Amino acid sequence: MKVLASGLRFPEGPIALADGSVLVVEIEGGALTRVAADGTVTPIHCGGGPNGAAAGPDGAIYVCNDGGLAFTTEDGIRFPVDHAEGNAGGYVQRVDLETGDVEVVFTHVAGSRIGNLNDIVFDAAGSCYLVDTTHGAIYYADPIDGTIEVVAEGLSYPNGMGLSPDGTRLYVSETYSGRVLAWDVTAPGVLAARAELYSTGGEHHWDGLAIDGAGNVCVANLGKSGVTVISPEGQVLREFATPEHDPFVTNICFGGPEGDTAFLCSAGRGILYSFPWPWPGLPLHFAC
């Protein structure tokens, strides 16, 4: 693995851009940050705790914000321990990369304040799924039209999320249960009964995830300081670990000229890595 950037303040939610740079959110830094191919870092201040990000159909970046977290350091690892003082709830932000303008687009769903948002993915229809970790829910939202609804509830600390290459399956990782769950998507925003794709039985903990071009579910594995690759049939195919141990490896994405470069956030050490991926990458529905 190659270090692209260091000194980041708990990076999460990477997005590979067409120009070779990578966007990450910095939860402690309160920023959406561009890491150029030469390692230059350029932040856009968002406030709160940006926890995930995705490119939308209008060319903007949509950030799911947890409202802010409090951090501590132990044995050289920086990690969150609680909500930050003044955290009133999560929200969704729209960020214009050209101007740096940031606006809040959602704070409530079904009359209730959004909780700790953690991940976001857009479908081909131009709407997005959002994970609310504290409320154990999945939302489906159209940020252009301004609509948002609850489409699944009763989850146990859901964290990462991704769509299969054909968009017919939605995957979600639950951090402490060790489960990776799957729903059939029968129409935009319509989920069939959930199924368990894979479970560790709580042996170690999951964070964010991404889907590659082979349909594999690539989940950040906190217990093993890396990524576990799970096939669409629920078989573990391979595991990758960071060169320097970090119990807070948070998320992964794919990009590069051929789409087969992985970008991995080692958040506890503030590092963004890149490394070759042995399967094809998966182009996102919308790109910047």
Side-chain angles (χ1 to χ4, degrees):
M1 292 187 185
K2 174 185 175 183
V3 175
L4 289 185
S6 59
L8 300 170
R9 299 180 67 190
F10 212 83
E12 244 273 31
I15 306 171
L17 302 183
D19 66 358
S21 62
V22 180
L23 292 175
V24 297
V25 289
E26 295 184 83
I27 298 180
E28 186 178 18
L32 175 68
T33 299
R34 185 193 294 262
V35 179
D38 64 0
T40 302
V41 173
T42 307
I44 296 175
H45 183 69
C46 296
N51 211 335
D58 57 351
I61 300 296
Y62 287 86
V63 172
C64 52
N65 199 305
D66 59 34
L69 302 177
F71 284 76
T72 191
T73 302
E74 186 175 304
D75 297 328
I77 301 293
R78 191 77 171 157
F79 59 96
V81 291
D82 203 348
H83 288 144
E85 184 177 354
N87 182 336
Y91 43 93
V92 180
Q93 297 169 296
R94 180 187 185 275
V95 181
D96 187 318
L97 291 180
E98 296 297 324
T99 65
D101 291 340
V102 180
E103 61 177 311
V104 175
V105 292
F106 295 113
T107 58
H108 290 72
V109 57
S112 298
R113 184 60 197 256
I114 290 170
N116 183 339
L117 291 180
N118 213 311
D119 212 349
I120 176 173
V121 61
F122 276 88
D123 62 13
S127 292
C128 61
Y129 295 90
L130 296 149
V131 168
D132 187 327
T133 299
T134 52
H135 291 162
I138 300 172
Y139 307 140
Y140 187 67
D142 184 335
I144 309 300
D145 288 345
T147 59
I148 183 170
E149 62 179 330
V150 180
V151 294
E153 295 180 282
L155 305 181
S156 175
Y157 211 89
N159 195 317
M161 182 172 55
L163 283 166
S164 62
D166 62 5
T168 63
R169 246 184 170 189
L170 180 73
Y171 298 100
V172 171
S173 58
E174 290 184 330
T175 295
Y176 298 111
S177 74
R179 298 192 302 175
V180 178
L181 303 174
W183 289 258
D184 288 333
V185 180
T186 58
V190 180
L191 306 180
R194 75 184 185 215
E196 184 179 286
L197 177 74
Y198 180 78
S199 177
T200 68
E203 179 186 351
H204 45 84
H205 302 155
W206 302 124
D207 205 286
L209 66 83
I211 312 301
D212 69 14
N216 299 318
V217 185
C218 312
V219 196
N221 190 325
L222 302 179
K224 295 190 175 182
S225 182
V227 176
T228 297
V229 183
I230 304 168
S231 75
E233 294 74 39
Q235 302 299 313
V236 172
L237 301 179
R238 190 165 172 181
E239 293 183 322
F240 299 87
T242 57
E244 192 173 10
H245 183 78
D246 182 358
F248 293 94
V249 173
T250 55
N251 218 328
I252 187 171
C253 76
F254 306 104
E258 305 300 324
D260 57 356
T261 299
F263 299 94
L264 183 64
C265 292
S266 177
R269 295 193 181 276
I271 296 172
L272 177 66
Y273 290 104
S274 70
F275 62 101
W277 193 250
W279 295 276
L282 179 65
L284 300 175
H285 288 298
F286 306 101
C288 295

